[in-house]
Amino acid sequence: MSEQTINQSQVTSPPPNPRIESWKNFFTKLRKNKAAMVGGLLILFFLLVAIIGPFLTPYQPNTPDYANKLASPSADHWFGTDHHGRDIFTRIIHGMSLTLYVGVVSVLIGAVIGVLLGITSGYYGKRVDAFIMRCMDVLLAFPGILLALAIVSVLGPSLNNVIIAVGIFSIPVFARIVRGSTLAVRKLEYIDAVKALGASDVRIIFRHILPNVTSPLIVQATLSIATSILTASGLSFLGLGAQPPTPEWGAMLSDGRNFMWDAPHVAFFPGIAIVIVVLAFNIFGDGLRDALDPKMKN
């Protein structure tokens, strides 16, 4: 009787869900990549600091204190003070949310527009494909920082204009990635079957093609955030991004270059903050790429 029950339970047990097994395999490979885990933990830490950090700092980021200007790092001012006597540690903490905001929103803009253009180009092909891809080639002909510099110069210096500029130069990368994946997916037999059942193009694109091109999108978005942060900091360093007294890291680095010999900490700490954040997103993006690569399952 017991053997019968065991056999029946084995027969009636449901087969494993392929989607769940795929996610388990992904997280298993991601956990094995120590560099990616370090990058992911750093990103979580940065997000936590950006959310609750500004409420815990003992100083105001934009309030000057000329009695303590250019003070060296100490117990009162962990990272020292700048030429206006403002606490650098406080300004870096407050600037964390600005940095992540610029990186995430600009990439989101580029990804949404790039995905729509790329999937349209790959699905319809012919003249639509040729027109969209030639437009992307024009944008790709300009170096990213140069294109962003030109756009901000036209729109005017501000943080929102930097986001728009960085988002625009991110569009071609996403468009080309999605187009390539769409060209491969649209030739599969199940797409032809869905078409034969009378599904509309919109349903096929968003229900059946888009979910199959998300893996390279996730990887590219993570890596693009690092590039966007670096570009936005560079534009702010040139005076085209966030304007004083906003505690943006690139602008803080620009202010600190005037005191490199007398007070190097003014430039050092904003610079090292940019390096650590960009490095975290890059190594986490590399780990995601390895974990999502089907060729590396074994």
Side-chain angles (χ1 to χ4, degrees):
M1 187 69 181
S2 60
E3 291 181 0
Q4 256 185 342
T5 307
I6 293 173
N7 290 334
Q8 286 178 359
S9 64
Q10 288 177 347
V11 171
T12 58
S13 60
N17 190 322
R19 188 178 296 273
I20 295 177
E21 292 298 317
S22 176
W23 279 107
K24 286 182 179 179
N25 183 50
F26 163 70
F27 284 115
T28 300
K29 289 193 290 184
L30 188 63
R31 283 198 302 269
K32 292 180 180 179
N33 191 323
K34 295 181 180 179
M37 292 302 297
V38 171
L41 291 175
L42 282 175
I43 291 172
L44 290 176
F45 173 73
F46 296 147
L47 290 172
L48 186 63
V49 170
I51 294 171
I52 68 173
F55 299 102
L56 303 178
T57 53
Y59 302 99
Q60 292 299 318
N62 299 324
T63 303
D65 181 12
Y66 293 105
N68 290 315
K69 66 179 184 178
L70 298 179
S72 299
S74 62
D76 293 329
H77 302 283
W78 291 357
F79 291 174
T81 61
D82 62 7
H83 55 296
H84 291 297
R86 298 171 297 193
D87 184 66
I88 295 176
F89 177 76
T90 298
R91 289 176 62 78
I92 287 177
I93 294 299
H94 282 260
M96 181 78 71
S97 57
L98 290 175
T99 299
L100 295 178
Y101 169 74
V102 171
V104 172
V105 174
S106 59
V107 168
L108 189 61
I109 292 172
V112 170
I113 299 175
V115 166
L116 292 176
L117 291 176
I119 206 167
T120 302
S121 175
Y123 183 77
Y124 291 103
K126 297 181 180 178
R127 293 183 180 180
V128 174
D129 182 29
F131 175 74
I132 293 176
M133 285 300 104
R134 295 302 75 78
C135 293
M136 296 301 102
D137 289 341
V138 171
L139 292 178
L140 285 172
F142 296 92
I145 184 66
L146 186 61
L147 179 61
L149 187 63
I151 295 171
V152 174
S153 299
V154 172
L155 299 178
S158 74
L159 194 62
N160 289 330
N161 290 342
V162 166
I163 292 174
I164 295 172
V166 175
I168 290 174
F169 94 69
S170 300
I171 291 174
V173 178
F174 287 100
R176 292 179 71 88
I177 290 174
V178 174
R179 173 185 176 269
S181 300
T182 303
L183 288 174
V185 173
R186 75 170 186 173
K187 296 178 182 179
L188 299 177
E189 294 181 355
Y190 82 93
I191 298 295
D192 295 333
V194 172
K195 285 182 180 179
L197 292 174
S200 64
D201 289 344
V202 175
R203 181 179 177 83
I204 294 172
I205 288 173
F206 290 100
R207 185 72 181 270
H208 300 284
I209 295 181
L210 185 58
N212 288 284
V213 301
T214 52
S215 295
L217 277 179
I218 294 172
V219 175
Q220 184 57 44
T222 306
L223 297 173
S224 294
I225 290 175
T227 304
S228 300
I229 291 173
L230 204 56
T231 304
S233 298
L235 292 174
S236 296
F237 181 84
L238 297 174
L240 296 175
Q243 299 300 300
T246 306
E248 202 278 332
W249 293 349
M252 292 172 63
L253 189 60
S254 179
D255 291 337
R257 63 180 171 171
N258 299 319
F259 308 98
M260 285 295 294
W261 299 109
D262 299 328
H265 64 274
V266 179
F268 174 77
F269 288 109
I272 201 67
I274 295 172
V275 169
I276 293 174
V277 170
V278 171
L279 180 63
F281 277 102
N282 274 329
I283 61 177
F284 184 64
D286 287 339
L288 283 179
R289 180 182 57 199
D290 294 341
L292 291 170
D293 190 354
K295 296 178 182 178
M296 299 186 66
K297 284 186 177 180
N298 296 324

